[in-house]
C-alpha cells in the first residue's frame, strides 16, 4: 500500500538555570544599513511511523539568503532538500520560497511569501504551490512568528485546494542559544473529502561564540488523517544538524537582522509499507 504525507512543526521551553545569562530586552541593537546575510545547514536522523517496526533514515539541507535594501525592506530566498530512504523506497523533497517583507528589528516584521515544492517517488509526483502573509513580533528575547497560506496540491493528475496556518515561538536563552516551538495545521480539500495534517516540533540550537558554526537537534511529530477515516497515520522524526552562517554575529542577530523567515517543511513522507 502506498501512503503519502508531509509535515513540519516546532515547540520550545527554557529553564531557570540560564536565567542569569539571559539577554536583556533589545535596546539600540537595530541594524538599519543594507546588508546580505544567510546560512546553510545539513542534517541527518531517523523517522519512524507509529505502529511500524522499522526506522528509516532521513536527511537533507537548507540554504537561505536575505538581502536588506531601502533601509528596512528585505528580500529573502530559500532552498531546501529532504530525503527519506532505507527500509522504504527513496523519496526526494525539494522546496523553494521567496519572502518580501518590511522589518523594524526592535519591534516587528511583516510581509508576503510564495513557495513551491516538488516531491517524487516511484510512480508518484507531487507538486505544491502556496502563497500567504507572514509576520513576526519581537518581544525582548522572544520572537513570535505566524504564517497563513492558500495553494494547490497536485498528485500526478489529481488536484486539491489547500490552506494552512503555522505558529512559531523562538526564545533566546543567550544570544547564541535558541529554543524553538512550532505548531502547524494544513488542510487539503479533494472532491467530497478533506485531508488534515497536524504537526508539532521542538528544536534547540547553539552557535559557538565568535564563529559562524552552530549545532542543533530537532524532534518532529506529525499526524495525517482523512475526515472519512477513523484512524490517522502518525510519524516521529529526530535529526541533528550543523549550520554555517554569514553576515551575522550571533543567532539573535541573525533572527532580528538576517534570514529570519522560513516555511513549512516536510517532516515525514509515508511511502510503501
Amino acid at each position: 500500500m502506498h501512503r503519502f504525507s508531509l509535515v513540519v512543526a516546532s515547540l520550545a521551553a527554557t529553564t531557570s538555570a540560564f536565567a542569569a545569562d539571559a539577554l536583556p530586552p533589545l535596546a539600540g541593537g537595530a541594524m538599519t544599513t543594507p546588508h546580505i546575510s544567510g546560512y546553510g545547514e545539513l542534517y541527518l536522523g531517523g523517522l519512524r511511523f507509529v505502529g511500524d517496526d522499522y526506522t528509516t533514515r532521513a536527511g537533507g539541507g537548507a540554504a537561505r539568503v536575505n538581502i536588506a535594501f531601502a533601509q528596512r525592506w528585505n528580500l529573502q530566498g530559500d532552498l531546501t532538500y529532504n530525503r527519506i530512504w532505507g527500509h522504504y523506497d527513496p523519496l526526494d523533497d525539494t522546496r523553494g520560497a521567496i519572502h518580501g517583507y518590511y522589518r523594524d528589528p526592535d519591534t516587528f516584521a511583516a510581509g508576503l511569501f510564495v513557495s513551491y515544492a516538488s516531491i517524487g517517488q516511484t510512480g508518484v509526483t507531487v507538486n505544491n504551490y502556496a502563497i500567504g502573509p507572514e509576520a513576526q513580533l519581537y518581544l525582548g528575547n522572544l520572537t513570535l512568528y505566524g504564517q497563513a497560506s492558500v495553494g494547490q496540491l497536485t498528485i500526478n493528475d489529481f488536484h486539491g485546494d489547500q490552506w494552512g496556518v503555522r505558529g512559531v515561538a523562538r526564545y533566546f536563552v543567550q544570544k547564541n542559544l535558541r529554543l524553538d516551538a512550532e505548531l502547524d495545521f494544513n488542510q487539503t480539500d479533494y472532491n467530497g473529502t478533506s485531508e488534515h495534517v497536524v504537526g508539532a516540533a521542538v528544536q534547540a540550537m547553539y552557535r559557538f561564540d565568535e564563529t559562524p558554526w552552530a549545532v542543533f537537534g530537532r524532534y518532529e511529530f506529525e499526524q495525517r488523517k482523512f475526515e472519512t477515516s477513523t484512524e490517522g497515520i502518525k510519524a516521529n522524526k529526530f535529526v541533528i544538524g550543523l549550520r554555517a552562517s554569514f553576515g551575522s554575529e550571533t543567532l539573535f542577530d541573525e533572527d532580528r537582522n538576517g534570514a529570519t523567515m522560513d516555511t513549512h517543511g516536510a517532516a515525514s513522507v509515508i511511502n510503501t509499507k
Side-chain angles (χ1 to χ4, degrees), residues 110-132:
L112 296 172
F113 76 95
V114 293
S115 66
Y116 167 76
S118 177
I119 302 162
Q121 70 180 93
T122 304
V124 180
T125 300
V126 178
N127 295 291
N128 176 232
Y129 307 87
I131 185 172

Side-chain angles (χ1 to χ4, degrees), residues 125-209:
T125 300
V126 178
N127 295 291
N128 176 232
Y129 307 87
I131 185 172
E134 59 185 349
Q136 295 182 347
L137 182 63
Y138 304 137
L139 303 170
N141 300 350
L142 176 66
T143 296
L144 299 179
Y145 185 9
Q147 274 181 333
S149 64
V150 294
Q152 188 173 79
L153 181 71
T154 302
I155 305 175
N156 291 341
D157 295 327
F158 190 79
H159 302 280
D161 294 324
Q162 197 172 64
W163 66 271
V165 292
R166 177 173 176 249
V168 181
R170 301 171 182 163
Y171 185 77
F172 293 86
V173 181
Q174 301 173 1
K175 62 182 180 180
N176 273 322
L177 178 57
R178 190 182 105 182
L179 304 176
D180 289 20
E182 186 173 341
L183 293 173
D184 181 86
F185 176 82
N186 191 275
Q187 177 173 310
T188 304
D189 297 315
Y190 303 104
N191 293 331
T193 187
S194 296
E195 178 190 27
H196 300 155
V197 176
V198 178
V202 293
Q203 177 175 286
M205 181 178 295
Y206 176 76
R207 179 169 168 174
F208 299 99
D209 291 342

